[in-house]
Amino acid sequence: MAVEPTPSQTVGPFFSFGLLAADASQLVPAGAPAAVSLSGRVLDGEGDPVFDAMVEIWQADEDGNYRPDFGWGRCGTDAGGRYSFVTRKPGRVADPDGGTQAPHVSMLVFARGLLKPVRTRVYFPGEAANEEDRVLSALAEDERATLVAREVGGGLEFDVRLRGDGQTTFFAV
Amino acid sequence: MSIEATPGLERVDDTDAGPDPPYLYPDYRSTALRAPGKPLVLLPHTLSELTGPVYGQDAVGALDHDLTEGHGGEPLGERIIVAGRVTDADGRPVRSALIEIWQANAAGRYAHEVDQHPAPLDPHFAGAGRCLTDDEGRYRFVTVKPGAYPWRNHPNAWRPAHIHLSLFGRAFTNRLVTQMYFPGDPLFAQDPIYHSVRDPNARERLVCELDLDTTVPEWALAYRFDVVLGGPAATPLET
């Protein structure tokens, strides 16, 4: 019997003691083989840092497999709107059409003022598979550019702009 | 509503997004600078959308579901049980769903440094708990009824009493953060967060019900709050 979904409500400003008590930002220990830092800022429509957001990620392992025991992370933003994960670059994931998708990390951002999370994907710079990725190639160039992380100082930087100029491309599912 | 046909992926107007609130809801002022302004791109359902983290019993402690325990004494306020079932949109139980909750204390104050409401903190109440659903999708928390509290959204603004819930379903697309309200709260009428859910029937699904069957006589009233996780049906990853 079909039943109607429970609607979303904002996470509000006071979630940290409930959701961030345990650090879940390191999917692998810093310094582990092939560990890569994935960090960035969450910015509002005026470019100001969103200091009370929570970022969650979900990704495949380095072989492109989704596993029950790896791939999820959560990090709050600091006063500068920054989040930071340590993870591994995922492999290519199977596409239902029979091809593969370019390596990517799924990301949700929750915050006061977001009545439901925004959903995006982080792709990797300099990745040949990006050219063939079904999602990336269906986007306009400026939309695509918001989804590819930048390599900065050996790590990856990915800013989430919630609104305004250069808004990150967000998805519905 | 489909806005334009971009090769491969449809664009979706956020104002037609089903039971969820829109991103931009001017009565809730904080949405003004944080709501995305562009149409959403409809993602195909790939493994990235149809999988999600899996939790086992080791994810929660034995007392994590009881917010009245573990802080050196009984918190003040009205002890309540909050229990219900988590199902998917086909009515099937979602088992081993991780539910995290957080709330204000009985005086309407959060144990959070940013909360400046001049109401007392309770040294015996931290206000956060977690549990996993059982094989029938059932969960149960013991807590105290949270108080209403003021906020600065508009003059004389007060949030109706509520408990925040965060849930993981079978897939990352089922992820839900919501708020549970109490029946008949006179503050509903002026609360833009509650009213951001525009469909009155959907709004009603955010309100729990007094449940005398689950109430423990001479100990605690129970409220029932069932949660339906939308999104695509998915097969859980095998553990």
Side-chain angles (χ1 to χ4, degrees):
Chain A
M1 186 191 70
V3 282
E4 294 298 319
T6 305
S8 175
Q9 294 272 268
T10 180
V11 76
F14 301 132
F15 58 83
S16 60
F17 69 92
L19 298 181
L20 298 173
D23 180 18
S25 67
Q26 299 202 351
L27 286 72
V28 298
V36 55
S37 88
L38 169 61
S39 47
R41 292 174 303 161
V42 181
L43 302 167
D44 72 12
E46 293 184 340
D48 290 328
V50 176
F51 52 84
D52 52 4
M54 178 176 79
V55 180
E56 286 189 353
I57 58 172
W58 172 240
Q59 65 166 86
D61 67 13
E62 52 266 58
D63 297 320
N65 296 315
Y66 283 99
R67 290 175 13 204
D69 59 338
F70 173 83
W72 177 78
R74 175 188 273 175
C75 186
T77 56
D78 65 15
R82 284 195 74 78
Y83 69 88
S84 188
F85 293 99
V86 179
T87 185
R88 287 203 177 105
K89 182 179 173 181
R92 300 181 68 157
V93 176
D95 187 283
D97 290 353
T100 56
Q101 305 183 65
H104 65 274
V105 172
S106 297
M107 179 178 280
L108 293 175
V109 178
F110 302 82
R112 169 179 63 86
L114 283 176
L115 287 159
K116 55 192 173 187
V118 288
R119 176 181 302 275
T120 189
R121 283 182 167 195
V122 183
Y123 286 86
F124 291 77
E127 176 69 43
N130 287 352
E131 304 304 319
E132 307 144 32
D133 184 82
R134 178 176 160 201
V135 173
L136 280 184
S137 54
L139 300 173
E141 176 55 36
D142 59 334
E143 295 173 314
R144 189 158 57 231
T146 69
L147 300 184
V148 181
R150 293 172 295 130
E151 196 159 348
V152 178
L156 292 172
E157 281 278 316
F158 183 82
D159 290 342
V160 178
R161 289 182 168 78
L162 294 175
R163 186 176 179 84
D165 287 346
Q167 182 200 304
T168 301
T169 301
F170 297 121
F171 296 104
V173 288
Chain B
M1 179 176 58
S2 172
I3 291 193
E4 63 184 83
T6 303
L9 297 178
E10 196 181 336
R11 306 303 166 104
V12 190
D13 182 346
D14 176 52
T15 57
D16 189 29
D20 285 336
Y23 285 116
L24 186 63
Y25 191 74
D27 287 353
Y28 175 25
R29 280 194 344 205
S30 295
T31 65
L33 289 178
R34 296 183 170 191
K38 295 179 180 163
L40 305 170
V41 177
L42 192 61
L43 261 189
H45 291 162
T46 74
L47 281 176
S48 306
E49 287 67 48
L50 299 177
T51 57
V54 175
Y55 296 96
Q57 282 301 334
D58 57 342
V60 295
L63 287 180
D64 285 0
H65 73 287
D66 189 340
L67 285 69
T68 70
E69 290 278 358
H71 299 281
E74 283 252 10
L76 291 173
E78 180 186 348
R79 184 192 301 116
I80 59 170
I81 294 160
V82 176
R85 258 182 106 221
V86 181
T87 60
D88 64 19
D90 293 321
R92 296 176 303 185
V94 180
R95 57 181 60 95
S96 295
L98 177 66
I99 309 180
E100 299 163 284
I101 68 169
W102 68 102
Q103 63 168 88
N105 67 22
R109 177 85 185 265
Y110 285 90
H112 189 292
E113 67 273 13
V114 170
D115 187 359
Q116 297 300 315
H117 177 35
L121 285 165
D122 184 339
H124 299 143
F125 191 72
R130 45 205 267 137
C131 76
L132 284 185
T133 57
D134 69 12
D135 284 350
E136 277 78 52
R138 291 178 305 213
Y139 72 91
R140 183 177 183 272
F141 288 100
V142 179
T143 184
V144 296
K145 196 170 181 180
Y149 59 85
W151 62 315
R152 292 175 180 165
N153 185 72
H154 56 274
N156 200 19
W158 292 78
R159 292 300 326 280
H162 61 275
I163 295 177
H164 296 266
L165 296 93
S166 162
L167 295 101
F168 290 83
R170 301 188 189 109
F172 204 48
T173 46
N174 300 145
R175 193 78 181 81
L176 176 69
V177 170
T178 191
Q179 301 182 24
M180 181 200 96
Y181 301 93
F182 290 86
D185 196 316
L187 292 170
F188 286 156
Q190 57 81 60
D191 184 47
I193 295 180
Y194 175 73
H195 279 277
S196 70
V197 176
R198 293 146 300 169
D199 171 6
N201 293 322
R203 215 150 56 214
E204 202 56 35
R205 298 200 291 276
L206 298 174
V207 182
C208 64
E209 287 177 17
L210 180 67
D211 181 1
L212 287 175
D213 291 337
T214 306
T215 288
V216 178
E218 297 174 45
W219 192 70
L221 285 173
Y223 290 91
R224 182 180 178 100
F225 187 64
D226 293 334
V227 178
V228 178
L229 298 177
T235 307
L237 289 172
E238 295 299 326
T239 41

